[in-house]
Amino acid sequence: MKLFLEKLTDRTTLSEEEMTLAAESLFSEEISDSEIAAFLIALKSKGESSDEIANLVQVLRKKALRITRRFDDVMDNCGTGGDGSQSFNISTTSAFVIAGAGITIAKHGNRSVSSKTGSADVLEKLGVDLQAGPSEVEELLIENGIAFLFAPHIHPKMARIMKIRRELKIATVFNLIGPLTNPVELTSQLLGVYRQDMLEPFSKVLHSLGRKRAVIVNGAGNMDEASLQGTNNLILLDNGNTKRFTLHPEEVNLPVYDNQAIRGGDAAENSQILLNVLKGKKGAYRDTVLLNAGVGIFTNGKAETIQEGVALAKESIDSGKALNKLETLISYNRTKSGVI
């Protein structure tokens, strides 16, 4: 670890082998908490390269509980967090809409880190089981087309690092890579980032991780979701080729709202917002979900354009299919617990 720290403090990028060894060292009992903290700070200070991020993610995924089944078509949609917008749980709500459009979603998430309420907080409030193991995740993906993977449960070996992150109280590489550590072999992914300069690096990382298609989006106002406030910046990764483009809500016949219009609250408030959207309540929350779900459906390739994706998202909500995905996820937990 001393060698890696010296290189990072000299602003030298670690090789693939060095980063893999360093990442493995983070889980070693022979490494002290202070050494782990020093590594995270040194890496942040130098600036994480796309190769360093990809190699770290590969090690973290190997340490996770194994999801052995391979799916022909499965995606995830998530933001890195860190945008400070205090918005409601956009990607979580959008996940059910995307699933309702017929796309299998392995939704990887956690409790709140940088926002008031994380995906796990909201889903737990609604009655979704956070302790689903690999076999249950696989069953839900097959039977329901959507499952939730609770990060601390799926990544039990991360407990020590999580403790150190909380003590540091500053953003590190782990604030960026959460959405990348899904142990399911994803074919496509919608990833939101709050830093526009991370669009291209993350497209390279997702390509390294084997995504056939992906969209990385930095929303208007530097949100880590697509935003109705104005122009969004995106990169499409399609079979190794990348294309950078912009998207304004008016281009897909959606209204413009200030980001203040989609602020959320605690788990109870955000869970009610989620339910209201899935039940068809109109307004800024629904339109934001339509935009993000539309981009997600396009990301997967089920829609040839984002406008077509938005239309499929509307149908998913208005038909009740999106709500049914949530209700099935909740009832699965009750059935497993013997509560009918």
Side-chain angles (χ1 to χ4, degrees):
M1 181 58 76
K2 181 182 177 182
L3 172 63
F4 304 141
L5 288 173
E6 288 176 346
K7 283 200 164 191
L8 291 175
T9 52
D10 286 340
R11 308 189 72 79
T12 301
T13 297
L14 300 183
S15 68
E16 179 178 347
E17 181 180 2
E18 289 170 334
M19 191 63 193
T20 299
L21 288 172
E24 289 283 356
S25 296
L26 298 178
F27 295 92
S28 171
E29 294 182 0
E30 297 177 3
I31 299 296
S32 68
D33 287 3
S34 60
E35 286 177 299
I36 294 174
F39 177 81
L40 296 179
I41 293 170
L43 184 63
K44 173 186 174 66
S45 178
K46 178 190 73 71
E48 307 90 345
S49 73
S50 56
D51 287 340
E52 286 172 331
I53 292 173
N55 292 324
L56 174 59
V57 168
Q58 293 285 24
V59 171
L60 298 182
R61 294 182 70 246
K62 288 177 183 177
K63 301 290 183 183
L65 299 182
R66 301 303 297 160
I67 309 292
T68 56
R69 188 181 183 94
R70 296 294 179 265
F71 296 86
D72 292 335
D73 184 15
V74 60
M75 74 173 290
D76 192 4
N77 70 314
C78 192
T80 59
D83 63 9
S85 68
Q86 301 300 319
S87 62
F88 77 106
N89 297 87
I90 298 169
S91 63
T92 307
T93 311
S94 300
F96 293 103
V97 179
I98 297 170
I103 298 167
T104 302
I105 295 284
K107 185 76 178 82
H108 184 260
N110 207 338
R111 296 194 185 277
S112 172
V113 177
S114 59
S115 59
K116 286 184 180 179
T117 312
S119 56
D121 301 306
V122 167
L123 294 178
E124 183 179 53
K125 192 72 176 178
L126 291 166
V128 173
D129 180 22
L130 300 186
Q131 305 303 315
S135 62
E136 293 160 326
V137 166
E138 291 176 3
E139 183 179 354
L140 281 165
L141 290 175
I142 295 166
E143 299 297 330
N144 190 40
I146 184 169
F148 182 69
L149 293 82
F150 182 42
H153 183 64
I154 295 294
H155 301 276
K157 294 182 180 180
M158 283 284 293
R160 182 187 181 197
I161 295 173
M162 288 295 294
K163 173 180 174 291
I164 294 168
R165 286 182 59 200
R166 286 193 295 268
E167 291 173 351
L168 279 175
K169 297 179 180 178
I170 62 169
T172 68
V173 66
F174 283 95
N175 292 77
L176 295 172
I177 64 173
L180 304 175
T181 59
N182 193 325
V184 176
E185 292 292 343
L186 303 173
T187 52
S188 58
Q189 185 164 5
L190 170 59
L191 176 64
V193 295
Y194 68 95
R195 287 169 47 187
Q196 192 175 149
D197 66 303
M198 293 304 292
L199 287 171
E200 188 171 334
F202 269 113
S203 70
K204 293 178 180 178
V205 171
L206 289 173
H207 178 58
S208 297
L209 294 176
R211 305 295 187 263
K212 293 179 181 178
R213 275 179 67 95
V215 167
I216 307 92
V217 56
N218 171 250
N222 284 322
M223 285 192 67
D224 68 330
E225 311 276 1
S227 166
L228 295 171
Q229 181 169 285
T231 300
N232 300 272
N233 289 279
L234 308 92
I235 287 183
L236 168 66
L237 169 68
D238 187 7
N239 290 312
N241 299 310
T242 59
K243 177 184 177 181
R244 190 157 187 157
F245 64 103
T246 60
L247 175 68
H248 192 280
E250 292 176 344
E251 295 176 48
V252 290
N253 299 320
L254 288 172
V256 174
Y257 288 96
D258 189 275
N259 287 337
Q260 292 292 319
I262 56 169
R263 289 177 70 89
D266 60 16
E269 184 177 348
N270 282 9
S271 62
Q272 190 58 56
I273 292 171
L274 185 153
L275 281 174
N276 288 343
V277 170
L278 298 189
K279 289 178 178 179
K281 185 176 180 179
K282 291 181 168 52
Y285 296 124
R286 171 188 163 102
D287 289 337
T288 298
V289 169
L290 290 177
L291 179 62
N292 281 273
V295 174
I297 294 168
F298 166 76
T299 298
N300 174 263
K302 189 177 179 69
E304 292 187 5
T305 65
I306 293 174
Q307 186 160 350
E308 182 186 342
V310 170
L312 290 173
K314 287 180 180 177
E315 195 276 333
S316 175
I317 294 174
D318 295 340
S319 66
K321 292 177 182 177
L323 180 61
N324 180 256
K325 294 295 182 182
L326 171 62
E327 291 174 339
T328 301
L329 198 59
I330 295 169
S331 64
Y332 179 87
N333 181 33
R334 291 174 178 166
T335 302
K336 190 182 71 170
S337 303
V339 178
I340 306 299

